[in-house]
């Protein structure tokens, strides 16, 4: 019997936990958190076991598939599959123009360094303006604020959680999500340590979440109104002359404009719209500036809302004017061993607009909320073909049901994905890559967002199956087939495909901030050194690094970018409208928000029996008063209706919800026919995005607004009046 121990980083979520995996005869016999990983220090969540379940899953596709005329699927060789795809994409673009081909990149691309290195060149080659990704249902406002204030969309300040004295969390639930745009494996331990050292944790969320329960203070906020709260916090700071920019003061522009802009937003004026008492807001502002160090952290709940762009600007501002930007214990920029800031674009904006709704491009992408209408609206420039890479937009983008219909109307669709799921069932050809355990990994994105500088290389655990392709190989082989560039460009692509992700990583490490350069021996980081440190290399705590790291042409921080100031008129008029109406709350409509659950990951991890055990988790959470008013009770099936659709789910009555707000997790809704997900289809749940609205976006950033969708809730039609339990065959 051959036995070996393997070290790697889990790539399922942003926490990049170190794993120790024991393998005997190609079977995983033990998998645990690596106590010697300098970042994760042994942390692990239940999803890590899913890595082997994904690998073994009989539903995971292992060969290219082509849809037959009768709707069934047939196996296809790689060459024939890639040739056909290249031919169809080329023919569509020739006939209808470049923009008739659209591309959608899903979330797992950022957890896959091969895709990150070989996806962008293919997109540039395709030259379509119809590029979409999960960014615009997620973190686009973060990039916009970073680009406008610091000059680069990837200059994202990270809260210094291990040294701060005060963490203010808006719209994030790291105890379920394990953290986002802030890689901090073991979030719970870190928060407990913060409290143990006398620090404070304040959570602002319309739900008393797992994280809020840990906090010393939790404030319910009405969905979509955080920008008012943040403006009021700043108003108090300026009105009482508490602002102190600390070390960044000498290279910040436009402080006077900020002071003037926040002046109308006194706590008393925003209290009724936010649902937070004026004295609570004042106290929070005072405590935040009085703390020895503090960090404000705003995440998904404030990013995916109507005022998302303003929110992320205001979060950065609050950190800046309290002297916590670029300060130990405040928020800091990282210094990763391969610096994505140096390798990826700064993020330009507004070079083109979407055809139907006129939404602006950012970093060469259009907001995905407009994808369905770009397919459905006839005329010059209509989308006729689609390439999806690791994405499930039918379940993950607003008004997914409309997109579902639209995908059925395409002339041609190809999906690079290892499941036949709600989205890929519309494809003509599916190209499935290797599983994560069959490939190597180095995190290019999440080291950029980590609360401590580290570097870790994960070699492949298993040999790829014969005739399997990695994502990067599929992308590179499509590229080669489509490339008619002049010879030097084709040679460059040939060379990088020869080097592969690993070779490119080696170059990136040598030329990175810790790199050895081209010296063969001696000092500096090389891939060899990173590889030899099997638990990961500790590159030290985050350090202040401004103004050097700024990418603004002036090398100064722009505190009041014009686009944000101009957008404040929207905030003002909303405030006035609410003040003018007799009541700020519509008593019949409830406001819908989303939530995440530890044993789930977006839309694609519901096919693993070990994660699916237990009671139905796709439930609507509602406050007892709201349930009573509607004559609804615990466990009952309820019908939830919005402008765009209707779903039925079991009701869970709980005072963890703010009155007037209901919560449903996203990523469910596996009852669509034609998918091949045996476990998920037994417990399908319903899709939150059949209720969200493609027309409800943050007009400033173009990001989808998921928070605060108005819905009505009534007793459901179905007779089943109990929560179905989930039986499981797995161990
Ligand atoms: N209402 C609402 N909607 C949301 C959210 C929300 O909170 N509320 N969250 C949003 C957020 S933050 C995100 S990031 C998006 C995610 O949106 P998407 O990225 O569109 O969806 P995922 O569920 O991540 O689906 C990932 C797809 O990639 C495939 N896949 C997994 N691993 C690999 C791989 O290694 N290679 C390839 N080629 N394919 C792979 C899976 O089979 C699946 O089809 O959803 C967004 N949608
Ligand atoms: N287990 C698990 N982990 C995951 C994922 C997963 O699906 N499952 N997905 C991964 C991905 S792609 C991402 S982007 C991250 C996201 O990670 P987080 O940013 O932590 O996202 P959520 O856990 O959805 O928490 C968002 C919170 O915002 C609250 N909220 C909703 N609307 C508002 C509002 O208007 N204002 C305020 N203040 N709060 C609001 C919700 O109640 C919820 O508690 O998680 C990642 N990790
Ligand atoms: S927290 Fe995220 S990275 Fe860590 S084990 Fe769980 S899924 Fe993997
Ligand atoms: Mo995300």
């Amino acid at each position: 019997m051959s036995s070996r121990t393997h070290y790697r980083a889990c790539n399922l979520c942003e926490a990049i936990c170190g794993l120790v995996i024991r393998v005997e005869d190609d079977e995983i016999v033990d998998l645990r958190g690596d106590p010697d990983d300098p970042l994760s220090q042994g942390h692990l969540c239940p999803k890590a076991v899913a890595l082997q379940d994904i690998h073994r899953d009989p539903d995971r596709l292992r060969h290219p598939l082509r849809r037959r005329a009768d709707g069934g699927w047939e196996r296809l060789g790689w060459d024939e599959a890639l040739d056909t795809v290249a031919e169809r994409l080329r023919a569509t673009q020739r006939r209808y123009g470049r923009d008739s081909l659209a591309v959608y990149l899903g979330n797992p691309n950022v957890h896959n360094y091969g895709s990150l290195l070989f996806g962008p060149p293919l997109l540039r080659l395709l030259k379509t303006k119809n590029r979409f990704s999960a960014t615009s249902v997620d973190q686009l406002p973060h990039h916009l604020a970073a680009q406008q204030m610091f000059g680069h969309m990837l200059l994202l300040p990270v809260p210094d959680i291990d040294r701060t004295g005060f963490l203010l969390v808006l719209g994030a639930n790291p105890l379920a999500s394990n953290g986002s745009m802030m890689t901090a494996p073991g979030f719970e331990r870190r928060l407990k340590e913060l409290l143990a050292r006398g620090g404070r944790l304040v959570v602002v969320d319309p739900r008393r979440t797992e994280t809020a329960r840990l906090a010393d203070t939790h404030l319910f906020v009405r969905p979509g109104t955080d920008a008012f709260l943040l403006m009021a916090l700043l108003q108090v700071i300026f009105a009482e002359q508490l602002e102190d920019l600390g070390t960044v003061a000498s290279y910040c522009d436009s402080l006077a404009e900020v002071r003037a802009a926040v002046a109308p937003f006194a706590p008393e004026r925003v209290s009724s719209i936010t649902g937070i008492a004026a004295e609570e807001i004042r106290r929070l502002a005072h405590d935040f500036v009085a703390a020895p160090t503090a960090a404000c952290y705003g995440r998904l709940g404030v990013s995916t809302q109507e005022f998302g762009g303003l929110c992320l600007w205001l979060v950065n501002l609050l950190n800046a004017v309290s002297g916590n930007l670029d300060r130990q214990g405040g928020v800091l920029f990282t210094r990763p061993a391969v610096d994505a800031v140096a390798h990826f674009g700064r993020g330009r904006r507004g070079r083109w607009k979407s055809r139907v709704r006129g939404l602006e491009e950012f970093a060469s992408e259009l907001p995905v909320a407009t994808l369905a209408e770009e397919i459905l609206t006839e005329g010059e420039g209509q989308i006729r073909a689609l390439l999806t890479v690791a994405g499930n937009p039918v379940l993950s983008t607003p008004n997914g049901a409309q997109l579902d219909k639209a995908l059925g109307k395409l002339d041609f669709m190809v999906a690079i994905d290892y499941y036949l799921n709600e989205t890929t069932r519309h494809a003509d050809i599916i190209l499935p890559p290797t599983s994560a355990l069959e490939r190597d990994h180095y995190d290019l994105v999440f080291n950029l967002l980590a609360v401590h500088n580290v570097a870790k290389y994960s070699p492949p655990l298993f040999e790829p199956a014969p005739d399997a392709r990695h994502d990067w190989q599929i992308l590179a082989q499509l590229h080669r087939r489509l490339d008619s560039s002049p010879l030097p460009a084709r040679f460059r692509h040939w060379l990088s495909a020869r080097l592969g992700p690993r070779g490119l990583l080696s170059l990136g490490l040598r030329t990175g901030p810790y790199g050895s350069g081209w010296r063969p021996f001696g000092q500096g980081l090389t891939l060899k050194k990173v590889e030899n440190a099997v638990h990961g290399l500790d590159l030290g705590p985050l350090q202040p690094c401004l103004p050097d790291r700024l990418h603004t042409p002036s090398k100064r921080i722009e505190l009041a970018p014009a686009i944000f100031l101009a957008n404040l008129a929207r905030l003002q008029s909303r405030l006035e409208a609410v003040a003018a109406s007799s009541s700020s709350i519509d008593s019949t409509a409830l406001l819908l928000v989303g939530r995440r659950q530890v044993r789930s990951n977006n839309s694609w991890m519901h096919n693993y029996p070990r994660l699916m055990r237990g009671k139905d988790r796709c439930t609507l959470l509602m406050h007892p008063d709201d349930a009573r008013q509607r004559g609804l009770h615990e466990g009952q099936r309820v019908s939830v209706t919005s402008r765009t659709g209707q779903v039925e789910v079991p009701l869970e009555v709980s005072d963890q919800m703010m009155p007037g707000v209901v919560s449903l997790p996203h990523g469910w809704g596996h009852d669509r026919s034609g998918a091949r997900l045996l476990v998920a289809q037994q417990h399908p749940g319903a899709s939150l995005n059949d209720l969200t609205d493609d027309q409800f976006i943050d007009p400033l950033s173009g990001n989808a607004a998921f928070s605060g969708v108005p819905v009505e809730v009534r007793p459901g039609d179905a007779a089943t009046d109990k929560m179905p339990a989930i039986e499981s065959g797995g161990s």
Side-chain angles (χ1 to χ4, degrees):
M1 184 163 65
S2 78
S3 165
R4 62 199 164 103
T5 303
H6 174 88
Y7 300 93
R8 75 185 291 113
C10 175
N11 72 329
L12 289 173
C13 88
E14 302 183 30
I16 56 174
C17 299
L19 305 178
V20 189
I21 306 179
R22 246 198 41 246
V23 185
E24 275 169 18
D25 288 337
D26 270 1
E27 278 301 320
I28 292 177
V29 292
D30 190 45
L31 185 154
R32 54 188 67 195
D34 184 352
D36 299 320
D37 182 293
L39 184 64
S40 67
Q41 298 169 25
H43 181 261
L44 182 80
C45 89
K47 279 191 301 295
V49 300
L51 278 171
Q52 51 181 314
D53 292 357
I54 299 166
H55 186 66
R56 298 270 171 248
D57 188 354
D59 288 338
R60 182 167 63 82
L61 305 177
R62 275 128 174 121
H63 309 279
L65 290 182
R66 172 164 55 198
R67 193 142 42 103
R68 290 194 309 251
D70 66 2
W73 293 87
E74 66 191 8
R75 231 175 109 165
L76 205 60
W78 276 104
D79 280 335
E80 190 185 356
L82 290 164
D83 287 345
T84 312
V85 169
E87 177 46 39
R88 294 294 300 269
L89 299 184
R90 197 186 296 115
T92 307
Q93 284 192 307
R94 280 216 188 106
R95 175 141 181 227
Y96 299 108
R98 285 187 170 135
D99 302 335
S100 64
L101 167 63
V103 182
Y104 173 80
L105 303 179
N107 168 276
N109 284 293
V110 295
H111 299 274
N112 182 329
Y113 89 119
S115 304
L116 281 172
L117 293 170
F118 286 85
L122 176 64
L123 293 187
R124 281 195 293 275
L125 188 73
L126 294 172
K127 289 199 176 71
T128 170
K129 293 188 171 127
N130 280 314
R131 280 162 62 169
F132 304 88
S133 81
T135 293
S136 52
V137 282
D138 187 347
Q139 82 286 2
L140 179 47
H142 292 253
H143 295 309
L144 184 60
Q147 180 237 26
Q148 293 284 320
M149 300 177 78
F150 312 124
H152 196 299
M153 63 181 273
L154 295 178
L155 277 176
L156 301 156
V158 177
D160 192 10
I161 186 172
D162 295 334
R163 294 180 291 187
T164 194
F166 193 123
L167 187 67
L168 169 59
V169 176
L170 297 106
N173 184 18
L175 261 63
S177 69
N178 286 296
S180 183
M181 307 295 279
M182 173 178 182
T183 288
F187 225 109
E188 181 169 4
R189 170 184 60 81
R190 293 175 202 267
L191 291 178
K192 285 181 173 158
E193 284 171 4
L194 159 70
L195 294 168
R197 64 177 179 262
R200 291 200 48 202
L201 171 64
V202 177
V203 173
V204 178
D205 198 302
R207 184 183 146 228
R208 196 177 340 100
T209 59
E210 296 83 344
T211 310
R213 274 170 249 164
L214 203 66
D216 58 78
T217 308
H218 166 232
L219 301 172
F220 277 134
V221 67
R222 188 158 298 124
T225 65
D226 300 81
F228 299 94
L229 167 65
L230 288 160
M231 287 297 271
L233 293 173
L234 289 162
Q235 191 276 345
V236 174
I237 292 171
F238 281 103
E240 300 182 22
Q241 293 172 7
L242 300 171
E243 79 275 16
D244 172 5
L245 281 86
T247 55
V248 301
S250 60
Y251 44 88
C252 276
D253 285 333
S254 318
L255 188 64
E257 284 83 343
V258 174
R259 183 182 291 119
V262 303
F265 292 85
E268 290 69 21
R269 285 198 70 208
V270 306
S271 162
S272 95
I273 196 167
T274 56
I276 304 176
E279 56 278 17
E280 289 280 9
I281 300 176
R282 280 185 194 285
R283 189 176 317 136
L284 180 54
H286 293 153
D287 292 355
F288 192 83
V289 290
T293 55
C296 177
Y297 168 58
R299 194 45 202 108
L300 199 86
V302 293
S303 173
T304 56
Q305 58 154 282
E306 211 185 339
F307 296 107
L310 286 176
C311 281
L312 270 301
W313 167 54
L314 295 170
V315 166
N316 285 345
L317 265 183
L318 185 58
N319 286 322
V321 304
S322 58
N324 287 298
L325 176 60
D326 200 38
R327 173 206 217 178
Q328 186 175 316
V331 295
L332 289 160
F333 296 98
T334 61
R335 195 163 174 260
V338 181
D339 189 8
V341 174
H343 295 288
F344 291 88
R346 298 189 305 125
R348 282 186 288 171
R349 163 171 192 278
R351 286 166 297 170
W352 60 86
K353 290 185 174 175
S354 69
R355 178 181 62 112
V356 178
R357 219 190 298 177
L359 300 178
E360 284 193 343
E361 156 269 351
F362 180 82
S364 305
E365 290 182 358
L366 291 168
V368 71
T370 188
L371 174 57
E373 63 197 4
E374 291 291 337
I375 300 173
L376 293 169
T377 311
E378 285 175 20
E380 173 105 24
Q382 183 182 3
I383 293 173
R384 312 232 176 208
L386 175 68
L387 161 67
T388 66
V389 188
N392 193 3
V394 166
L395 296 191
S396 56
T397 66
N399 199 354
Q402 176 184 242
L403 183 64
D404 203 357
K405 281 197 204 98
L407 297 185
K409 301 217 151 50
L410 290 167
D411 292 353
F412 182 72
M413 176 172 159
V414 50
I416 302 181
D417 202 297
Y418 42 52
Y419 283 104
L420 175 46
N421 63 18
E422 300 75 17
T423 295
T424 62
R425 72 197 175 113
H426 291 291
D428 295 279
I429 290 185
I430 305 178
L431 304 171
T434 51
S435 96
L437 297 180
E438 294 168 309
R439 56 190 181 228
D440 69 336
H441 185 59
Y442 181 90
D443 231 295
L444 293 177
V445 173
F446 300 106
N447 283 317
L448 180 71
L449 299 170
V451 297
H452 196 92
N453 291 312
V454 289
K456 179 164 183 158
Y457 177 78
S458 307
L461 172 54
F462 296 123
E463 279 285 307
D467 201 30
R469 310 272 158 117
H470 301 303
D471 278 284
W472 75 267
Q473 291 173 315
I474 300 171
L475 294 162
Q477 289 168 13
L478 268 181
H479 189 125
R480 186 163 53 74
R481 282 168 168 82
L482 289 163
D483 199 353
S484 55
S485 328
L487 205 57
R490 270 189 285 156
F491 175 71
R492 272 199 304 277
H493 185 259
W494 173 85
L495 192 63
S496 50
R498 286 292 299 206
L499 290 169
R502 200 183 130 86
L504 295 173
L505 170 65
S506 170
L507 291 178
L509 286 167
R510 276 181 183 274
T511 54
Y514 308 83
S516 65
W518 299 108
R519 291 184 301 272
F521 306 106
Q523 301 288 298
L525 212 56
T526 57
L527 178 56
K528 192 91 220 129
K529 288 186 189 164
V530 177
E531 262 188 302
N532 287 342
V534 291
H535 305 287
L537 268 183
D538 187 337
L539 300 172
L542 307 190
Q543 306 279 356
C545 61
L546 297 190
D548 276 2
R549 204 149 160 70
L550 291 174
H551 277 242
T552 45
S554 57
K555 279 269 176 195
R556 297 171 65 81
I557 297 168
E558 180 52 58
L559 291 177
I563 61 163
F564 295 122
L565 290 183
N567 214 253
L568 286 174
R570 264 172 74 222
L571 216 54
Q572 269 288 358
S573 55
R574 176 65 55 84
L575 202 55
E576 281 151 22
V578 169
S581 71
S582 51
S583 139
S584 60
I585 320 162
D586 174 346
S587 54
T588 57
L590 292 159
L591 298 179
L592 178 64
V593 300
R595 70 175 185 276
R596 278 176 163 69
Q597 299 165 311
V598 177
R599 300 162 76 84
S600 175
N601 192 36
N602 295 335
S603 75
W604 70 278
M605 286 185 52
H606 297 148
N607 212 42
Y608 313 115
R610 275 189 285 206
L611 293 181
M612 291 291 285
R613 262 183 310 198
K615 62 175 193 169
D616 194 344
R617 288 197 297 279
C618 185
T619 60
L620 187 77
L621 285 173
M622 182 186 277
H623 189 271
D625 292 349
D626 292 320
R628 209 171 304 123
Q629 256 176 40
R630 288 166 181 77
L632 302 171
H633 59 85
E634 173 79 14
Q636 168 179 20
R637 282 189 78 81
V638 291
S639 151
V640 191
T641 315
S642 72
R643 184 191 78 84
T644 59
Q646 190 248 338
V647 303
E648 265 196 38
V649 285
L651 182 71
E652 223 181 311
V653 179
S654 167
D655 66 1
Q656 65 182 274
M657 291 313 300
M658 182 177 189
V661 184
V662 287
S663 156
L664 190 68
H666 82 286
W668 298 85
H670 305 296
D671 49 358
R672 287 159 162 90
S673 66
R676 193 183 294 169
L677 297 161
L678 278 183
V679 178
Q681 284 167 327
Q682 283 169 35
H683 325 286
S687 178
L688 169 57
N689 286 320
D690 287 349
L691 296 170
T692 57
D693 194 330
D694 56 304
Q695 300 295 320
F696 187 38
I697 61 168
D698 168 23
L700 173 59
S701 64
N703 204 90
F706 292 132
S707 295
V709 174
V711 292
E712 284 187 15
V713 182
R714 298 195 196 84
D717 294 329
T720 40
D721 215 25
K722 61 172 178 45
M723 303 246 236
I726 289 179
E727 329 87 53
S728 123
S731 56

